[in-house]
Amino acid sequence: KLNEYEQAVKAYENAISFAPDDYRYYVALDELYAITGREKEREKLYQRAPISVKKNFNYLLKRTEYLIDIGRYSEALKILRNNTFLPWEGWTKARQVYVTALLYRAEMYMRKGKYKEAVKELFSAMEYPENLGTGRPPVPVFAREYYKLGLCYEKMKNKKIALKYFEKAAKENPRLLSEQTY
């Protein structure tokens, strides 16, 4: 709360030394390392975590965020696809991280001119894998996915399908202010 990150880092490093099996300390310390730009410490933190921590879905989710931060999207997606995340009511974090990894990977493919691969990732981003613990809402919003699909199809010289997705993006109603609003 005081933005005294260095003191917080020391406190959480100390806490881990006293309770090495408490996943919450690893999750919090990773967040502090991310805030302070300590990528090497983040990797070391994951390497030294005990097996009991490495099996915790909260820890696994934090690990995927780290992998996304350093551009290792395929590794993040492998973790997300091969583990079960147990939500509490209204919790959507695992799916949000899953979508983020797919969107970044789609962007990477788009920059390389690999539009078919990007399209595949964008369609995957519109799925709701059961293991992520978030069910498909009655009216999901896919404005950004549709827009990016339109861009891909435009680059692939398929203007008819591109227009279809641009129109779908324009018709989306995010209802609440979110990343989908843009």
Side-chain angles (χ1 to χ4, degrees):
K1 290 182 178 180
L2 300 175
N3 295 325
E4 294 175 353
Y5 300 120
E6 294 306 320
Q7 286 181 305
V9 164
K10 289 175 187 171
Y12 277 99
E13 288 173 341
N14 197 32
I16 286 174
S17 71
F18 287 107
D21 290 317
D22 191 333
Y23 77 88
R24 291 174 288 238
Y25 294 141
Y26 291 84
V27 170
L29 185 55
D30 176 80
E31 187 70 29
L32 290 165
Y33 283 157
I35 289 168
T36 57
R38 298 178 182 182
E39 298 306 321
K40 289 181 182 176
E41 283 87 348
R42 291 177 82 186
E43 182 61 36
K44 289 176 188 173
L45 180 67
Y46 291 119
Q47 290 173 355
R48 73 174 193 250
I51 295 295
S52 61
V53 170
K54 289 179 178 178
K55 290 182 179 181
N56 182 280
F57 78 90
N58 294 291
Y59 164 87
L60 288 169
L61 190 58
K62 195 52 140 166
R63 173 77 171 153
T64 62
E65 290 179 299
Y66 162 71
L67 292 169
I68 291 168
D69 286 349
I70 62 170
R72 291 165 44 188
Y73 313 122
S74 296
E75 288 177 63
L77 288 164
K78 184 177 180 182
I79 291 171
L80 290 164
R81 288 178 174 141
N82 293 323
N83 290 281
T84 299
F85 297 84
L86 306 173
W88 46 92
E89 190 172 341
W91 187 80
T92 61
K93 181 74 173 187
R95 183 171 184 285
Q96 291 170 356
V97 173
Y98 174 74
V99 169
T100 298
L102 289 165
L103 291 175
Y104 277 132
R105 201 157 72 168
E107 286 286 333
M108 178 188 71
Y109 285 136
M110 290 171 74
R111 283 192 302 275
K112 293 179 178 180
K114 297 180 177 183
Y115 299 106
K116 288 181 183 179
E117 290 88 344
V119 165
K120 181 181 173 192
E121 301 300 328
L122 293 166
F123 278 116
S124 292
M126 293 188 282
E127 296 171 358
Y128 284 78
E130 197 170 308
N131 70 305
L132 298 180
T134 300
R136 184 180 180 90
V139 184
V141 178
F142 300 123
R144 73 188 155 184
E145 289 85 353
Y146 291 152
Y147 174 73
K148 289 174 187 269
L149 282 166
L151 292 175
C152 287
Y153 282 108
E154 186 176 61
K155 290 290 188 179
M156 291 189 293
K157 307 289 189 228
N158 194 330
K159 290 183 181 185
K160 186 176 180 180
I161 294 177
L163 182 59
K164 172 185 139 183
Y165 282 109
F166 287 141
E167 288 173 348
K168 285 179 89 162
K171 289 179 184 175
E172 287 288 90
N173 180 4
R175 293 175 297 287
L176 299 172
L177 188 61
S178 72
E179 67 275 359
Q180 297 283 5
T181 306
Y182 77 92

